[in-house]
Amino acid sequence: MLTPLNLALPPTIDMSITLKTPEEIEKMRIAGKLAANVLEMIAEYVVAGVTTDELDQRCHDFMVNQQKTVPAPLNYHGFPKSICTSVNNQVCHGIPNHKKLKKGDIINIDITVIKDEFHGDTSEMFVVSEPSILAKRLIDTTQKALYLGISMVKPGAKLGDIGHAIQTFAESKRYSIVREYCGHGIGRVFHEEPQVLHYGKADTGVVLEEGMTFTIEPMVNAGKRHVKVLPDDWTVVTKDRSLSAQFEHTLTVTSTGFEIFTLRNNETIEPTYISPEYFQS
Ligand code: MF3
Ligand code: CO
Ligand code: CO
């Protein structure tokens, strides 16, 4: 989330990167798992005829009543709902509403929970009934781009390595990367330093250290990269109305690489996923 090139924050805000202690990492692990559990719970309800308001309500009730978590988006800078639902040409920050999903729609559901003061932030694409071949290819490429970005994470690597890997891969498939919104540090604060761009140059930017916690959340457009914000002041859409997809995970840098906090039960990042052959398909 949020405009990487135009951060306008008061100078009193401490913009340094916080390294988390093992106790804080354990709390992030719990928050991350809970966020993933919301996506697992809602999957079966993403069907033709359901409204995004209904999905929001179901997630809200699950978070508040079952998990005893706080839905972080609700009232965040005035956001009116508990989850973000971004359909088809919507890139991110879509507001749940009364419209029904229909066959062939693609939808990103973005969940952020707070548990024991810490945030877990994750999103996934769903397809309503049969995806078109085009939509399926876009979604697959976006998820692979996220995994490829994650695979760069280890102490001593740089943030630019992540952005470069994601951009190069998506553009090799003739898709484009949205530049106005980025991943972010996360912890007690929803959006903190550093900003994790999904494009850029290898071997540039912040050097990764054990204990950093951040999200990677590439937004990939089937058409041109340009976006605009709708008059509701939230929903980001592609300017050329092309389809857009996004996946997001919250993770930490470990002594040897990374640990993903928001991995879903049926989601395995095989070592082969990060091999060059995998990313050619
Ligand atoms: N979950 C989004 C992110 O990945 C942020 C949503 S902010 C909201 O950073 F206000 F739109 F909910
Ligand atoms: Co995020
Ligand atoms: Co998110």
Side-chain angles (χ1 to χ4, degrees):
M1 146 146 205
L2 288 186
T3 46
L5 305 171
N6 127 43
L7 257 191
L9 291 172
T12 48
I13 289 187
D14 180 1
M15 295 298 290
S16 59
I17 299 174
T18 61
L19 298 181
K20 273 71 178 180
T21 65
E23 294 72 33
E24 292 171 326
I25 293 287
E26 180 54 25
K27 291 184 180 186
M28 298 273 309
R29 201 174 271 132
I30 292 166
K33 186 76 215 164
L34 288 163
N37 289 159
V38 181
L39 288 175
E40 291 164 350
M41 181 280 298
I42 204 64
E44 66 178 286
Y45 300 102
V46 186
V47 294
V50 78
T51 69
T52 46
D53 267 342
E54 286 162 359
L55 298 175
D56 175 68
Q57 192 63 54
R58 205 174 268 284
C59 289
H60 177 95
D61 291 347
F62 183 75
M63 290 186 262
V64 171
N65 300 328
Q66 314 256 353
Q67 295 190 322
K68 318 276 185 213
T69 57
V70 174
L74 189 59
N75 301 319
Y76 181 77
H77 292 274
F79 191 80
K81 302 279 172 151
S82 295
I83 67 173
C84 296
T85 52
S86 305
V87 179
N88 295 336
N89 61 322
Q90 297 178 351
V91 173
C92 63
H93 304 165
I95 305 175
N97 64 23
H98 62 277
K99 280 188 211 146
K100 289 180 170 156
L101 293 179
K102 53 186 194 316
K103 193 165 171 256
D105 282 346
I106 65 170
I107 177 175
N108 175 277
I109 299 185
D110 192 337
I111 303 292
T112 313
V113 307
I114 307 171
K115 181 71 166 185
D116 203 3
E117 287 184 45
F118 283 83
H119 291 74
D121 188 8
T122 186
S123 81
E124 178 182 8
M125 294 301 298
F126 297 89
V127 180
V128 181
S129 312
E130 282 295 283
S132 69
I133 290 175
L134 261 126
K136 191 177 175 337
R137 184 172 172 270
L138 173 68
I139 290 172
D140 283 354
T141 300
T142 306
Q143 189 167 36
K144 285 181 179 176
L146 169 61
Y147 291 160
L148 182 59
I150 291 172
S151 75
M152 307 307 291
V153 174
K154 61 178 181 203
K158 297 184 184 172
L159 278 183
D161 299 335
I162 300 173
H164 178 75
I166 291 172
Q167 179 181 19
T168 308
F169 178 65
E171 290 180 355
S172 77
K173 307 288 179 191
R174 312 189 80 250
Y175 294 136
S176 64
I177 293 286
V178 171
R179 304 211 182 171
E180 286 82 355
Y181 301 86
C182 59
H184 49 92
I186 183 168
R188 282 196 178 80
V189 177
F190 193 169
H191 296 101
E192 62 182 32
E193 287 286 283
Q195 301 188 43
V196 181
L197 305 190
H198 305 111
Y199 63 95
K201 275 179 72 153
D203 202 24
T204 63
V206 170
V207 180
L208 303 184
E209 285 178 55
E210 185 176 355
M212 286 181 179
T213 53
F214 54 84
T215 73
I216 305 179
E217 48 182 300
M219 286 140 276
V220 179
N221 295 349
K224 295 214 164 69
R225 68 173 181 81
H226 304 95
V227 299
K228 63 177 185 184
V229 180
L230 294 185
D232 65 19
D233 280 345
W234 280 104
T235 313
V236 180
V237 298
T238 55
K239 266 197 182 157
D240 64 9
R241 300 198 171 85
S242 62
L243 286 184
S244 186
Q246 178 179 32
F247 283 85
E248 173 174 29
H249 274 312
T250 299
L251 56 126
T252 188
V253 185
T254 65
S255 61
T256 53
F258 57 84
E259 176 184 340
I260 302 173
F261 294 139
T262 47
L263 213 57
R264 296 180 294 283
N265 274 332
N266 61 358
E267 189 185 17
T268 41
I269 314 253
E270 316 265 356
T272 53
Y273 281 18
I274 14 193
S275 73
E277 299 79 57
Y278 178 77
F279 289 101
Q280 264 153 31
S281 69

